[in-house]
């Protein structure tokens, strides 16, 4: 997911009890009603109390690259059939005996004939989104996003055959295979961000819900993300040679929690199967009715974050954030406010 963790802006209002080199708060006595923005609500009250607020609306382009370990609970196939000439056991007498028992009553369904053992799984995804946001209150921002997600997971699998007597027989040449599941689709999401600060210290609580509809999957994947952060704001000097005015640099640490509904279902014909499995799948899926069902979950829902946001001007800022521990991520964003 993700859309999974595509937000992390660390904008807060600041009070007037700050070092002398910080921008002075808005003079609300001289600001006319016509010039005061409608949003955020209660903005005038916040300015009277000495807070400098960001511009109310924003549009940003975001990119997230994420890699994480996955626990696969099961990989199963349905809609397959066998007529006695489909499974090649080579010279393995145990496998041949298992096939003979399965076919004792003629052509059969193979819905429960295969057992897939799953080892280490690593998932990688990339998401590009366009986000629109607005400050409804001085301490609350709301946003919506739309974008594109694509990625893949690679699992180490072993294929075995289950006979009518319940005995499981490993299939020759089908152990320690790489099972790759590719996916891509459109991501939609929305969420709120709550902020607060004392002096140059600030805290950010961000939550969002996203839904991704993939091209080869039945249904959609839903994800909930929650990210608390705490940081400090610095004032950067102007750089005359580059015509850059004095800016603001926000640095923070935090963490990210993800709750992702991870059940992938779809047509078996859409999968890129390992070469060792392709002849078998082609033989038992001649009618094209085979389905796959992959149930998995995140190894760890939490990871740590460090990030920075540089406000070049009041209208433009850039942001980057790195995640580490069981989930590794890189996030970068360019935002225009108005």
């Amino acid at each position: 997911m993700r859309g999974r963790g595509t937000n992390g802006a660390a904008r807060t209002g600041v009070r007037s009890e700050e070092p002398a080199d910080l921008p002075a708060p808005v003079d609300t006595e001289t600001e006319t009603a016509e010039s005061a923005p409608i949003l955020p609500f209660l903005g005038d009250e916040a300015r009277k109390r000495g807070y400098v607020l960001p511009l109310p609306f924003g549009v940003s382009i975001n990119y997230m690259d994420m890699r994480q370990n996955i626990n696969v609970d099961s990989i199963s196939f349905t809609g397959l059939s066998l007529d006695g000439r489909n499974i090649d056991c080579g010279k393995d007498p145990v496998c041949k005996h298992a096939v003979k028992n399965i076919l004792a009553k003629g052509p059969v369904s193979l819905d429960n004939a295969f057992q897939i053992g799953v080892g280490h799984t690593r998932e990688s995804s990339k998401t590009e989104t366009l986000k629109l946001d607005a400050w409804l209150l001085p301490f609350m921002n709301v946003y919506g996003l739309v974008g594109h997600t694509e990625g893949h997971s690679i699992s180490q699998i072993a294929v075995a055959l289950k006979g009518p007597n319940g005995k499981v027989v490993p299939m020759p040449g089908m152990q320690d295979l790489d099972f790759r599941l590719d996916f891509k689709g459109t991501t939609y999401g929305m969420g709120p961000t709550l902020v607060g600060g004392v002096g140059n210290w600030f805290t950010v609580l961000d939550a969002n819900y996203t839904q991704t509809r993939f091209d080869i999957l039945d249904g959609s994947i839903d994800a909930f993300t929650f990210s608390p952060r705490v940081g400090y704001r610095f004032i950067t000097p102007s750089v005359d040679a580059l015509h850059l005015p004095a800016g603001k640099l926000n640095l923070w640490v935090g963490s990210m929690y993800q709750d992702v509904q991870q059940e992938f279902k779809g047509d078996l014909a859409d999968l890129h199967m390992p070469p060792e499995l392709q002849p078998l799948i082609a033989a038992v899926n001649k009618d094209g009715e085979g389905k796959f069902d992959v149930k998995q979950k995140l190894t760890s829902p939490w990871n740590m974050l460090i990030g920075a946001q540089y406000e070049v001007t009041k209208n433009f800022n850039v942001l980057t954030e790195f995640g580490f521990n069981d989930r590794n991520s890189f996030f970068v964003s360019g935002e225009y406010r108005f």
Side-chain angles (χ1 to χ4, degrees):
M1 62 32 23
R2 337 157 293 8
R4 300 167 271 217
T6 55
N7 301 282
R11 298 176 297 275
T12 71
V14 290
R15 291 183 59 83
S16 57
E17 325 59 279
E18 298 172 343
D21 59 346
L22 298 190
V26 174
D27 185 354
T28 57
E29 297 299 326
T30 59
E31 188 179 58
T32 65
E34 290 77 8
S35 64
I38 298 176
L39 293 179
F41 300 117
L42 303 181
D44 289 341
E45 183 64 25
R47 295 183 189 95
K48 290 177 182 178
R49 293 174 178 268
Y51 286 92
V52 178
L53 303 180
L55 295 174
F57 302 103
V59 57
S60 62
I61 297 175
N62 314 287
Y63 171 79
M64 168 74 86
D65 189 321
M66 184 178 296
R67 303 169 190 272
Q68 56 191 335
N69 293 327
I70 301 292
N71 287 331
V72 178
D73 297 324
S74 66
I75 297 177
S76 60
F77 304 138
T78 58
L80 307 180
S81 61
L82 183 67
D83 65 6
R85 299 183 300 276
N86 303 127
I87 296 182
D88 182 9
C89 289
K91 298 181 180 181
D92 190 322
V94 179
C95 179
K96 289 181 177 180
H97 182 69
V99 173
K100 182 179 179 180
N101 288 338
I102 291 176
L103 295 174
K105 296 182 179 180
V108 296
S109 168
L110 292 181
D111 287 357
N112 298 309
F114 292 111
Q115 176 173 294
I116 311 295
V118 185
H120 176 73
T121 301
R122 184 75 168 171
E123 183 181 81
S124 174
S125 65
K126 298 178 181 179
T127 302
E128 302 92 20
T129 58
L130 175 68
K131 186 182 77 171
L132 303 176
D133 75 87
W135 287 94
L136 291 187
L137 296 169
F139 55 86
M140 185 176 74
N141 180 279
V142 294
Y143 58 87
L145 59 88
V146 62
H148 177 76
T149 297
E150 64 178 289
H152 66 270
S153 64
I154 298 179
S155 304
Q156 298 293 318
I157 67 171
V159 182
L161 198 61
K162 294 185 292 185
N165 59 358
K167 186 175 181 179
V168 177
V169 181
M171 297 195 66
M174 297 189 184
Q175 312 303 304
D176 299 321
L177 305 180
D178 285 339
F179 176 83
R180 181 182 174 108
L181 177 63
D182 293 290
F183 51 83
K184 61 181 178 179
T186 303
T187 297
Y188 306 90
M190 59 185 300
T193 301
L194 301 178
V195 302
V198 176
N200 284 343
W201 289 96
F202 62 86
T203 184
V204 180
L205 300 176
D206 179 78
N208 65 66
Y209 168 81
T210 60
Q211 183 179 89
T212 303
R213 294 190 171 273
F214 292 114
D215 57 341
I216 67 169
L217 302 180
D218 298 334
S220 60
I221 300 299
D222 302 325
F224 171 75
T225 302
F226 173 68
S227 304
R229 300 170 176 87
V230 61
Y232 190 83
R233 189 194 70 157
F234 299 87
I235 299 301
T236 59
S238 61
V239 182
D240 295 336
L242 299 177
H243 305 286
L244 288 178
K248 300 173 185 177
L249 177 65
N250 297 318
L251 301 178
W252 65 83
V253 296
S255 60
M256 178 190 295
Y257 169 83
Q258 281 195 338
D259 181 12
V260 185
Q261 177 261 313
Q262 296 246 33
E263 182 171 6
F264 297 89
K265 296 181 179 181
D267 293 329
L268 194 55
D270 292 331
L271 292 182
H272 299 289
M273 305 299 294
E276 297 85 349
L277 267 180
Q278 288 178 2
L280 173 61
I281 296 300
V284 298
N285 190 35
K286 288 184 176 180
D287 296 331
E289 297 180 356
K291 296 281 187 177
F292 68 88
D293 187 344
V294 179
K295 297 179 181 179
Q296 61 186 40
K297 59 187 176 184
L298 304 181
T299 299
S300 174
W302 288 96
N303 72 321
M304 298 299 297
L305 302 171
I306 57 172
Q309 179 192 48
Y310 179 53
E311 185 178 301
V312 184
T313 70
K314 68 177 182 178
N315 297 102
F316 181 71
N317 67 79
V318 291
L319 181 153
T320 187
E321 187 171 65
F322 296 88
F324 51 96
N325 288 353
D326 288 333
R327 181 188 303 117
N328 303 116
S329 62
F330 168 69
F331 176 76
V332 64
S333 172
E335 180 186 61
Y336 177 77
R337 301 209 65 80
F338 56 96

